[in-house]
Amino acid sequence: MISIGLCMSVKNEEAVLRRILTPMSKLVDKIYICDTGSVDKTKEIAREFTDEVYDFLWSDDFSAARNFITEKADTSMKRLFRRGIFYIRMW
């Protein structure tokens, strides 16, 4: 069976994160959050939806943050993502 995880890199997204994660939590099996230095309540909100919240020191390299969080994923989405079959970007 295919399982799908949502991997997100975020920073200071308290204004919109709950609005994004509420419907997504009904669509995916697991949520993985990579926080790149939030100073607001982003991590607290993320933890309402998942225990998989990780800190990542921002190095001005989006691909490093993306690779970091996809390595945490243990769903079949990871295999698809790494093969480049699909990519979802949310603004």
Side-chain angles (χ1 to χ4, degrees):
M1 179 170 209
I2 292 178
S3 58
I4 296 182
L6 171 66
C7 296
M8 293 180 69
S9 294
V10 298
K11 182 176 181 182
N12 297 327
E13 297 291 349
E14 74 176 328
V16 297
L17 191 59
R18 189 176 284 113
R19 186 175 45 151
I20 293 167
L21 293 180
T22 297
M24 291 305 293
S25 67
K26 295 174 177 90
L27 298 173
V28 300
D29 300 302
K30 204 158 187 182
I31 297 172
Y32 304 87
I33 303 291
C34 171
D35 186 88
T36 60
S38 294
V39 294
D40 62 3
K41 294 183 180 180
T42 295
K43 289 194 285 187
E44 294 171 36
I45 294 167
R47 287 189 183 107
E48 293 174 18
F49 296 89
T50 183
D51 292 328
E52 304 281 344
V53 179
Y54 301 94
D55 291 311
F56 181 80
L57 183 61
W58 182 246
S59 59
D60 204 27
D61 182 359
F62 177 79
S63 63
R66 180 199 61 213
N67 293 341
F68 171 81
I69 199 61
T70 56
E71 284 300 315
K72 303 293 183 189
D74 62 0
T75 62
S76 39
M77 177 250 189
K78 179 178 175 179
R79 289 188 295 276
L80 293 172
F81 185 85
R82 295 186 85 197
R83 290 182 186 163
I85 293 174
F86 71 92
Y87 176 73
I88 298 172
R89 186 169 184 179
M90 299 177 73
W91 285 269

